[in-house]
mmCIF file of all heavy atoms in Angstrom:
data_model
loop_
_atom_site.group_PDB
_atom_site.id
_atom_site.type_symbol
_atom_site.label_atom_id
_atom_site.label_comp_id
_atom_site.label_asym_id
_atom_site.label_seq_id
_atom_site.Cartn_x
_atom_site.Cartn_y
_atom_site.Cartn_z
ATOM 1 N N VAL A 11 -0.853 3.566 8.442
ATOM 2 C CA VAL A 11 -0.260 3.238 7.151
ATOM 3 C C VAL A 11 -0.750 4.303 6.178
ATOM 4 O O VAL A 11 -1.955 4.568 6.109
ATOM 5 C CB VAL A 11 -0.689 1.836 6.664
ATOM 6 C CG1 VAL A 11 -0.141 1.554 5.273
ATOM 7 C CG2 VAL A 11 -0.252 0.773 7.649
ATOM 8 N N PRO A 21 -5.527 2.763 9.872
ATOM 9 C CA PRO A 21 -4.855 2.079 10.983
ATOM 10 C C PRO A 21 -4.680 0.597 10.659
ATOM 11 O O PRO A 21 -5.548 -0.019 10.044
ATOM 12 C CB PRO A 21 -5.813 2.280 12.156
ATOM 13 C CG PRO A 21 -7.150 2.450 11.527
ATOM 14 C CD PRO A 21 -6.917 3.083 10.180
ATOM 15 N N ILE A 40 -3.918 0.161 -2.447
ATOM 16 C CA ILE A 40 -3.027 -0.937 -2.793
ATOM 17 C C ILE A 40 -3.811 -1.893 -3.676
ATOM 18 O O ILE A 40 -4.881 -2.352 -3.289
ATOM 19 C CB ILE A 40 -2.521 -1.684 -1.533
ATOM 20 C CG1 ILE A 40 -1.789 -0.732 -0.594
ATOM 21 C CG2 ILE A 40 -1.610 -2.852 -1.938
ATOM 22 C CD1 ILE A 40 -1.452 -1.346 0.765
ATOM 23 N N CYS A 44 -4.498 -11.992 -5.173
ATOM 24 C CA CYS A 44 -4.809 -13.222 -4.446
ATOM 25 C C CYS A 44 -4.766 -13.047 -2.931
ATOM 26 O O CYS A 44 -5.324 -13.844 -2.205
ATOM 27 C CB CYS A 44 -3.841 -14.329 -4.867
ATOM 28 S SG CYS A 44 -2.139 -14.058 -4.298
ATOM 29 N N LYS A 53 2.418 -5.222 -4.765
ATOM 30 C CA LYS A 53 3.819 -4.831 -4.590
ATOM 31 C C LYS A 53 3.912 -3.362 -4.185
ATOM 32 O O LYS A 53 3.348 -2.485 -4.840
ATOM 33 C CB LYS A 53 4.561 -5.072 -5.900
ATOM 34 C CG LYS A 53 6.046 -5.068 -5.814
ATOM 35 C CD LYS A 53 6.597 -5.543 -7.164
ATOM 36 C CE LYS A 53 8.072 -5.710 -7.157
ATOM 37 N NZ LYS A 53 8.550 -6.177 -8.471
ATOM 38 N N ARG A 55 6.572 -0.239 -2.035
ATOM 39 C CA ARG A 55 7.874 0.151 -1.480
ATOM 40 C C ARG A 55 7.609 0.857 -0.166
ATOM 41 O O ARG A 55 6.767 1.749 -0.083
ATOM 42 C CB ARG A 55 8.618 1.088 -2.426
ATOM 43 C CG ARG A 55 9.940 1.615 -1.826
ATOM 44 C CD ARG A 55 10.727 2.512 -2.774
ATOM 45 N NE ARG A 55 11.191 1.714 -3.897
ATOM 46 C CZ ARG A 55 10.752 1.830 -5.154
ATOM 47 N NH1 ARG A 55 9.829 2.722 -5.461
ATOM 48 N NH2 ARG A 55 11.229 1.067 -6.117
ATOM 49 N N VAL A 57 8.522 3.522 2.100
ATOM 50 C CA VAL A 57 9.245 4.783 2.003
ATOM 51 C C VAL A 57 9.747 5.210 3.375
ATOM 52 O O VAL A 57 10.859 5.709 3.515
ATOM 53 C CB VAL A 57 8.340 5.881 1.387
ATOM 54 C CG1 VAL A 57 9.038 7.218 1.336
ATOM 55 C CG2 VAL A 57 7.867 5.460 0.007
ATOM 56 N N GLU A 58 8.907 5.018 4.383
ATOM 57 C CA GLU A 58 9.257 5.351 5.776
ATOM 58 C C GLU A 58 8.672 4.291 6.678
ATOM 59 O O GLU A 58 7.620 3.727 6.387
ATOM 60 C CB GLU A 58 8.669 6.708 6.185
ATOM 61 C CG GLU A 58 9.228 7.892 5.484
ATOM 62 C CD GLU A 58 8.521 9.183 5.908
ATOM 63 O OE1 GLU A 58 7.931 9.228 7.017
ATOM 64 O OE2 GLU A 58 8.538 10.130 5.119
ATOM 65 N N VAL A 87 3.513 -8.758 4.803
ATOM 66 C CA VAL A 87 4.197 -8.027 5.873
ATOM 67 C C VAL A 87 3.200 -7.245 6.715
ATOM 68 O O VAL A 87 2.114 -6.900 6.257
ATOM 69 C CB VAL A 87 5.277 -7.065 5.313
ATOM 70 C CG1 VAL A 87 6.373 -7.829 4.593
ATOM 71 C CG2 VAL A 87 4.668 -6.018 4.410
ATOM 72 N N THR A 91 6.054 -0.149 12.920
ATOM 73 C CA THR A 91 5.918 1.268 13.268
ATOM 74 C C THR A 91 4.986 1.881 12.222
ATOM 75 O O THR A 91 4.651 1.225 11.241
ATOM 76 C CB THR A 91 7.283 1.996 13.194
ATOM 77 O OG1 THR A 91 7.716 2.021 11.823
ATOM 78 C CG2 THR A 91 8.325 1.319 14.072
ATOM 79 N N LEU A 95 3.883 4.116 2.348
ATOM 80 C CA LEU A 95 4.084 3.197 1.226
ATOM 81 C C LEU A 95 3.838 3.892 -0.093
ATOM 82 O O LEU A 95 3.081 4.857 -0.159
ATOM 83 C CB LEU A 95 3.082 2.033 1.307
ATOM 84 C CG LEU A 95 2.983 1.231 2.577
ATOM 85 C CD1 LEU A 95 1.818 0.268 2.474
ATOM 86 C CD2 LEU A 95 4.281 0.493 2.833
ATOM 87 N N VAL A 98 4.228 0.065 -6.382
ATOM 88 C CA VAL A 98 5.227 -0.078 -7.453
ATOM 89 C C VAL A 98 4.824 -1.223 -8.375
ATOM 90 O O VAL A 98 3.898 -1.971 -8.085
ATOM 91 C CB VAL A 98 6.650 -0.321 -6.898
ATOM 92 C CG1 VAL A 98 7.127 0.849 -6.071
ATOM 93 C CG2 VAL A 98 6.719 -1.595 -6.080
ATOM 94 N N GLY A 99 5.553 -1.357 -9.462
ATOM 95 C CA GLY A 99 5.295 -2.456 -10.374
ATOM 96 C C GLY A 99 4.292 -2.084 -11.433
ATOM 97 O O GLY A 99 4.017 -0.915 -11.687
ATOM 98 N N LYS A 100 3.700 -3.094 -12.041
ATOM 99 C CA LYS A 100 2.829 -2.870 -13.188
ATOM 100 C C LYS A 100 1.549 -2.134 -12.849
ATOM 101 O O LYS A 100 0.884 -1.609 -13.723
ATOM 102 C CB LYS A 100 2.518 -4.193 -13.880
ATOM 103 C CG LYS A 100 1.838 -5.216 -13.002
ATOM 104 C CD LYS A 100 1.710 -6.543 -13.720
ATOM 105 C CE LYS A 100 1.227 -7.609 -12.756
ATOM 106 N NZ LYS A 100 1.238 -8.915 -13.351
ATOM 107 N N LYS A 103 1.001 2.578 -12.692
ATOM 108 C CA LYS A 103 0.640 3.502 -13.763
ATOM 109 C C LYS A 103 -0.635 4.287 -13.509
ATOM 110 O O LYS A 103 -0.671 5.483 -13.772
ATOM 111 C CB LYS A 103 0.537 2.766 -15.098
ATOM 112 C CG LYS A 103 1.867 2.493 -15.719
ATOM 113 C CD LYS A 103 1.694 1.895 -17.093
ATOM 114 C CE LYS A 103 3.047 1.623 -17.709
ATOM 115 N NZ LYS A 103 2.897 1.063 -19.056
ATOM 116 N N SER A 118 -7.781 23.190 -16.759
ATOM 117 C CA SER A 118 -7.863 23.244 -18.219
ATOM 118 C C SER A 118 -8.444 24.564 -18.650
ATOM 119 O O SER A 118 -9.311 25.135 -17.988
ATOM 120 C CB SER A 118 -8.747 22.087 -18.706
ATOM 121 O OG SER A 118 -9.028 22.264 -20.078
#
Side-chain angles (χ1 to χ4, degrees):
V11 176
I40 302 171
C44 69
K53 195 171 186 180
R55 175 178 293 111
V57 177
E58 293 177 23
V87 297
T91 66
L95 307 173
V98 298
K100 59 186 171 187
K103 281 186 180 181
S118 170

